């Protein structure tokens, strides 16, 4: 019974120690929580000054963690870089231009020959005349019934007058000079009209020359300086 009492006495202090231990273990977490709360309050009050310090310390750590540097061995041979051979350019065939479409060419119509001025039905003359000489005959009077207009020889068709070089007597020669002078005056008196009276021949183009409806040939006949075509020519010499 004594041993039993002793055992009962020894267990009593053990119980007290366990209570002390349990009470001490319960205060430690509250102390840690209190310290963390105080630290959080202090950090909140001084957050503006603490934030740059944290950013400086975290930047190099992040770089070192994100980009690990390769370990370079001293005995490793230098890395050879193979240069890629330039690929030859393949010539791209250019599209060939299409030949132009055939352009239809119109049929060439034959050009009708334009008849000379001598074949015109009516023509008006407005140039100044002179006597024909040794040079080119352009606008000049040859005799009482022949003159040149713009280089074309005109023969008055409705009259016949003597020619100076072919006169058979002095009277015929005088009439030939008078008819030549009178024809020059009529031609230079103003515009006149020439109407075709037949086809042009080597001897000249036959024309009826008039002004205001009055024929030059009829006027020379009335003045005795010409005669009608086909009449006898012996009257010039008495």
């Amino acid at each position: 019974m004594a041993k039993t009492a002793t055992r009962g006495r020894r267990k009593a202090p053990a119980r007290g120690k366990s209570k002390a231990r349990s009470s001490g273990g319960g205060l430690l977490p509250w102390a840690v929580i209190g310290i963390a709360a105080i630290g959080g309050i202090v950090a909140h009050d001084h957050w503006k000054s603490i934030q740059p310090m944290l950013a400086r310390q975290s930047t190099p750590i992040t770089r070192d963690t994100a980009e690990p540097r390769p370990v370079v061995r001293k005995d490793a041979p230098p890395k050879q870089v193979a240069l890629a051979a330039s690929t030859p350019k393949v010539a791209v065939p250019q599209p060939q231009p299409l030949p132009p479409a055939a352009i239809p060419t119109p049929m060439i119509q034959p050009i009708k020959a334009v008849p000379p001025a001598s074949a015109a039905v009516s023509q008006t003359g407005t140039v100044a005349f002179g006597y024909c000489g040794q040079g080119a005959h352009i606008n000049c009077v040859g005799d009482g019934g022949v003159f040149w207009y713009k280089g074309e020889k005109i023969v008055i068709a409705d009259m016949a007058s003597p020619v100076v070089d072919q006169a058979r007597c002095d009277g015929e020669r005088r009439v030939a000079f008078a008819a030549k002078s009178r024809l020059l005056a009529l031609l230079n008196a103003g515009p006149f009209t020439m109407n075709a009276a037949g086809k042009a021949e080597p001897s000249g183009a036959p024309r009826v020359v008039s002004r205001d409806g009055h024929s030059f040939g009829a006027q020379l006949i009335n003045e005795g300086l010409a005669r009608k075509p086909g009449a006898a020519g012996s009257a010039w010499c008495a």
Side-chain angles (χ1 to χ4, degrees):
M1 293 180 67
K3 290 181 179 180
T4 302
T6 305
R7 290 179 179 175
R9 293 176 183 175
R10 290 180 180 177
K11 289 180 180 179
R15 290 178 181 177
K17 289 181 181 180
S18 61
K19 290 180 180 181
R21 289 178 182 176
S22 62
S23 61
L27 292 176
L28 181 60
W30 291 105
V32 173
I33 292 171
I35 293 171
I38 294 171
I41 294 171
V42 174
H44 183 271
D45 294 339
H46 299 82
W47 176 250
K48 292 183 179 181
S49 59
I50 295 172
Q51 185 177 8
M53 297 175 62
L54 295 176
R56 293 175 185 176
Q57 294 179 0
S58 61
T59 300
I61 296 171
T62 304
R63 290 180 180 178
D64 294 343
T65 306
E67 299 178 359
R69 295 181 181 179
V71 179
V72 180
R73 295 175 58 186
K74 294 183 179 181
D75 56 348
K79 186 176 182 181
Q80 296 181 357
V81 179
L83 299 176
S86 58
T87 57
K89 295 182 179 180
V90 180
V92 179
Q94 298 293 333
Q96 297 296 329
L98 297 176
I103 301 174
T105 56
M107 296 180 63
I108 300 174
Q109 300 293 336
I111 300 173
K112 296 182 179 181
V114 179
S118 60
V121 176
S122 179
Q123 188 177 4
T124 303
T126 56
V127 299
F129 290 86
Y131 291 113
C132 295
Q134 299 297 328
H137 298 354
I138 306 299
N139 299 308
C140 61
V141 176
D143 56 51
V146 177
F147 65 94
W148 274 262
Y149 177 72
K150 295 184 179 180
E152 183 182 11
K153 186 179 181 180
I154 306 297
V155 177
I156 299 177
D158 58 345
M159 61 161 278
S161 64
V163 180
V164 175
D165 298 338
Q166 299 176 2
R168 292 170 293 179
C169 60
D170 292 340
E172 188 176 357
R173 187 175 290 106
R174 284 193 298 271
V175 174
F177 274 117
K180 182 178 181 179
S181 177
R182 182 60 174 155
L183 179 59
L184 178 64
L186 291 173
L187 292 173
N188 287 330
F192 56 89
T193 303
M194 296 181 292
N195 294 320
K199 294 181 180 180
E201 299 178 356
S203 59
R207 297 287 184 272
V208 176
V209 185
S210 61
R211 178 182 293 115
D212 299 331
H214 300 286
S215 171
F216 288 4
Q219 187 170 352
L220 289 173
I221 291 172
N222 294 334
E223 293 177 3
L225 301 176
R227 57 180 172 76
K228 292 182 180 181
S234 59
W236 306 114
C237 294

